C-alpha cells in the first residue's frame, strides 16, 4: 500500500456532502450549483451523444474542443495559444494529476500556498516531490516576497498557484502575479496555474492568467474546467495549456491516466466556449447576486463575512462573529444542530492551519440560501 494514501482521510467535500445527505442538512459545503446549467450546452452534448461517434476520441482531445479552448482564451483573456498547446483531460483534477506526474521528479521541491485545494499535496507527494508550503492568512490571504523567499530551496522546480483561490474567493493581484513570475524565472521553475474559477469573478474584476506575464509563456501550465465555466460540475471536462515542449510531456502523462474524455461532453464544452460574451457576463451577475444575498443575510445574523471576489464561496470569520469555537467545531455544530453543511477552512492546510474561518457555497437558488439563513438564526 502506498503510504501517501494509507494515511489519508476521505476528502472534506465528500465527507461534508455525505453528512448533509445523512442529516438532511442544506448543503452549502461542497461547491456545486443547484441549477440545471445552460440548456443549449446540455442540448449539444445530448445531440452529440445520439448522433455522433461514441468511440475513443483522439487522445489529446477532439480537434473542436482544443480549437475552442484556444479561441476562447484569445477572446476572453487576450492570450494566443495554438491548437497543439491544449490537451483535454477528464476534469481539472486529471489535469492536475497529469501535470504533477509529468513535471515532478523524486526530490524536487514544489512550492504551494496554503490554503490549498486538497488534491495538490497527495499528488505531489505521490510523485516523490517535497512540498514547500507558504502560509497565507486572513483576511487578505496575500502572497509576499518574504513568504516566497522563505519557501524557496535549491531544488525548487515547480510552483502551484490556484487563481482565483478556493476556498478564500480571492484573486491574485497584478503585484503578486509579477512577484510569482519573477520568482519562477529566477529559479527556472515551471508554474502550474489552476484557473478553474477564471470565469466566476465579481464586481467587474478581470481575471489575469499567469501565462500572460513576461517570461511565463514558456514555463506555465494553465488549467481550466468546463465544469466550472458552465456550472456543470459533474461533467469532468478540463484541459491543460502549455508551450509545445511541456504540452508533449503532459500528453504522455495524460495518456496513461485516462487516455481520453467522453466525446459528447467535449462537444458540449466546445460549443459552450463559443457562446457570446453576454452569457459569461450574465452567469457572473447571477452568482454575484447570490453572493450578496447570502452575505447580507449572514451579516444580519451577526456573522462577519470576509470579502469574496470570485468562486462559488464566501467565508465567515468566527472570532469576529462572536463565535467561540474553532472552524471544525463550528462546522460540526452547524451541520448537526442548525442543519447547514459548510467546510472548515483548516481542511485546506496540511500544517499550521488557520482555524478561525468557515467556507459556505452560495451557488444556490435564492430559496435554498433563504432556507439556510433561516436555520442559521440559531447561533451556537
Ligand atoms: N481545482 C480547484 C481549485 C477546484 O476548486 C476544483 C473543483 N472545484 C478542481 C480543481 C477540480 O475541477 P474538476 O471538477 O474539473 O476536476
Ligand atoms: N471543488 C469543489 C469544492 O471546493 C469540490 C470538488 C470535489 O468535491 N472534489 O467544494
Amino acid at each position: 500500500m502506498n503510504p501517501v494514501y494509507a494515511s489519508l482521510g476521505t476528502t472534506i467535500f465528500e465527507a461534508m456532502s455525505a453528512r448533509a445527505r445523512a442529516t438532511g442538512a442544506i448543503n452549502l459545503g461542497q461547491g456545486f450549483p443547484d441549477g440545471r446549467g445552460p440548456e443549449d450546452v446540455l442540448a449539444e452534448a445530448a445531440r452529440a451523444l445520439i448522433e455522433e461517434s461514441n468511440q475513443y476520441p483522439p487522445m489529446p482531445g477532439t480537434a473542436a474542443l482544443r480549437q475552442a479552448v484556444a479561441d476562447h482564451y484569445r477572446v476572453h483573456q487576450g492570450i494566443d495559444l495554438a491548437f497543439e498547446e491544449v490537451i483535454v483531460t477528464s476534469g481539472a483534477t486529471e489535469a492536475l494529476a497529469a501535470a504533477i506526474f509529468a513535471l515532478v521528479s523524486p526530490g524536487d521541491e514544489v512550492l504551494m500556498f496554503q490554503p490549498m485545494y486538497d488534491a495538490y499535496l497527495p499528488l505531489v507527494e505521490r510523485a516523490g516531490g517535497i512540498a514547500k508550503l507558504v502560509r497565507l492568512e486572513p483576511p487578505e490571504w496575500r502572497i509576499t516576497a518574504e513568504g516566497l523567499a522563505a519557501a524557496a530551496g535549491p531544488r525548487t522546480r515547480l510552483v502551484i498557484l490556484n487563481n482565483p483561490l478556493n476556498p478564500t474567493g480571492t484573486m491574485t493581484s497584478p503585484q503578486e502575479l509579477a512577484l510569482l513570475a519573477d520568482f519562477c524565472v529566477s529559479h527556472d521553475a515551471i508554474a502550474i496555474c489552476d484557473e478553474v474559477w477564471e470565469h466566476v469573478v465579481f464586481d467587474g474584476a478581470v481575471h489575469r492568467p499567469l501565462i500572460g506575464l513576461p517570461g511565463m509563456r514558456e514555463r506555465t501550465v494553465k488549467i481550466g474546467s468546463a465544469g466550472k465555466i458552465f456550472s456543470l460540475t459533474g461533467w469532468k471536462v478540463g484541459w491543460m495549456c502549455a508551450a509545445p515542449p511541456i504540452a508533449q510531456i503532459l500528453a504522455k502523462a495524460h495518456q496513461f491516466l485516462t487516455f481520453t474524455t467522453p466525446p459528447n461532453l467535449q462537444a458540449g464544452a466546445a460549443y459552450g466556449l463559443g457562446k457570446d460574451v453576454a452569457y459569461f457576463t450574465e452567469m457572473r451577475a447571477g452568482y454575484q447576486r447570490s453572493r450578496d444575498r447570502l452575505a447580507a443575510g449572514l451579516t444580519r445574523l451577526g456573522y462577519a463575512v470576509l470579502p469574496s471576489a470570485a468562486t462559488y464561496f464566501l467565508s465567515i470569520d468566527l472570532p469576529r462573529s462572536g463565535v467561540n469555537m474553532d472552524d471544525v467545531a463550528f462546522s460540526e455544530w452547524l451541520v448537526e444542530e442548525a442543519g447547514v453543511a459548510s467546510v472548515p477552512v483548516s481542511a485546506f492546510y496540511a500544517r499550521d492551519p488557520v482555524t478561525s474561518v468557515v467556507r459556505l457555497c452560495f451557488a444556490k437558488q435564492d430559496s435554498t440560501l433563504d432556507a439556510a439563513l433561516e436555520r442559521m438564526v440559531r447561533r451556537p
Side-chain angles (χ1 to χ4, degrees):
M1 204 188 290
N2 187 278
V4 171
Y5 298 115
S7 59
L8 264 186
T10 300
T11 157
I12 185 72
F13 310 117
E14 176 62 22
M16 287 314 286
S17 286
R19 291 291 291 283
R21 284 191 293 269
T23 59
I26 296 170
N27 191 356
L28 304 189
Q30 190 178 31
F32 60 91
D34 63 357
R36 272 182 52 80
E39 293 297 336
D40 54 346
V41 174
L42 296 174
E44 172 58 14
R47 186 204 61 74
L49 181 78
I50 301 299
E51 294 178 13
E52 291 181 14
S53 167
N54 285 283
Q55 307 310 330
Y56 295 128
M59 178 275 280
T62 63
L65 181 52
R66 296 174 81 192
Q67 191 59 52
V69 170
D71 292 345
H72 184 83
Y73 285 141
R74 190 165 303 115
V75 170
H76 291 265
Q77 297 178 10
I79 47 179
D80 263 310
L81 291 167
F83 161 93
E84 294 76 18
E85 295 179 298
V86 180
I87 310 289
V88 175
T89 56
S90 293
T93 306
E94 195 226 334
L96 286 163
I100 290 168
F101 291 163
L103 299 174
V104 176
S105 299
D108 284 354
E109 293 179 356
V110 180
L111 198 148
M112 294 181 278
F113 302 93
Q114 302 189 101
M116 75 193 149
Y117 189 60
D118 66 351
Y120 299 171
L121 186 61
L123 289 169
V124 166
E125 290 183 338
R126 188 68 184 83
I130 296 167
K132 294 290 193 175
L133 302 176
V134 179
R135 185 175 187 270
L136 309 182
E137 288 176 31
E140 299 281 332
W141 314 99
R142 288 292 158 216
I143 297 170
T144 62
E146 297 73 46
L148 286 179
R155 295 208 60 187
T156 305
R157 294 282 180 272
L158 199 70
V159 174
I160 305 181
L161 178 70
N162 175 210
N163 175 35
L165 180 59
N166 176 10
T168 63
T170 47
M171 294 171 72
T172 315
S173 69
Q175 292 78 8
E176 290 171 296
L177 288 171
L179 262 181
L180 285 163
D182 282 351
F183 180 89
C184 290
V185 171
S186 62
H187 287 80
D188 194 20
I190 293 177
I192 295 179
C193 200
D194 174 349
E195 300 184 0
V196 301
W197 299 103
E198 60 200 341
H199 267 298
V200 192
V201 302
F202 308 125
D203 307 311
V206 175
H207 172 73
R208 292 185 179 78
L210 185 62
I211 199 169
L213 266 82
M216 295 309 288
R217 182 65 177 82
E218 306 302 317
R219 58 173 71 249
T220 303
V221 179
K222 173 178 168 57
I223 291 179
S225 167
K228 296 299 180 313
I229 296 180
F230 301 112
S231 308
L232 299 167
T233 61
W235 264 28
K236 289 291 172 182
V237 178
W239 46 83
M240 39 193 183
C241 309
I246 301 181
Q248 281 155 19
I249 188 97
L250 298 179
K252 290 185 188 170
H254 158 71
Q255 70 184 343
F256 294 136
L257 284 169
T258 61
F259 181 71
T260 192
T261 300
N264 68 309
L265 299 183
Q266 294 196 54
Y271 163 85
L273 288 172
K275 281 168 78 74
D276 57 17
V277 171
Y279 166 76
F280 298 94
T281 311
E282 274 163 35
M283 182 264 284
R284 281 196 272 276
Y287 287 130
Q288 184 172 321
R289 278 194 297 278
S290 302
R291 175 199 66 174
D292 293 346
R293 191 178 190 95
L294 184 60
L298 290 168
T299 306
R300 272 197 302 278
L301 297 177
Y303 285 103
V305 176
L306 294 176
S308 163
T311 73
Y312 295 159
F313 311 112
L314 59 71
S315 31
I316 52 185
D317 179 317
L318 297 173
R320 284 181 43 226
S321 305
V323 175
N324 191 17
M325 287 175 158
D326 71 14
D327 61 338
V328 172
F330 178 73
S331 278
E332 241 348 90
W333 178 86
L334 199 59
V335 73
E336 285 299 326
E337 304 298 327
V340 177
S342 62
V343 169
V345 163
S346 60
F348 293 78
Y349 286 76
R351 60 184 83 106
D352 200 11
V354 166
T355 59
S356 56
V357 179
V358 166
R359 189 193 86 171
L360 293 168
C361 173
F362 54 72
K364 306 292 175 193
Q365 315 285 345
D366 287 354
S367 56
T368 310
L369 296 176
D370 293 348
L373 285 165
E374 224 163 87
R375 293 182 178 197
M376 289 180 72
V377 169
R378 271 195 71 192
R379 302 248 325 195

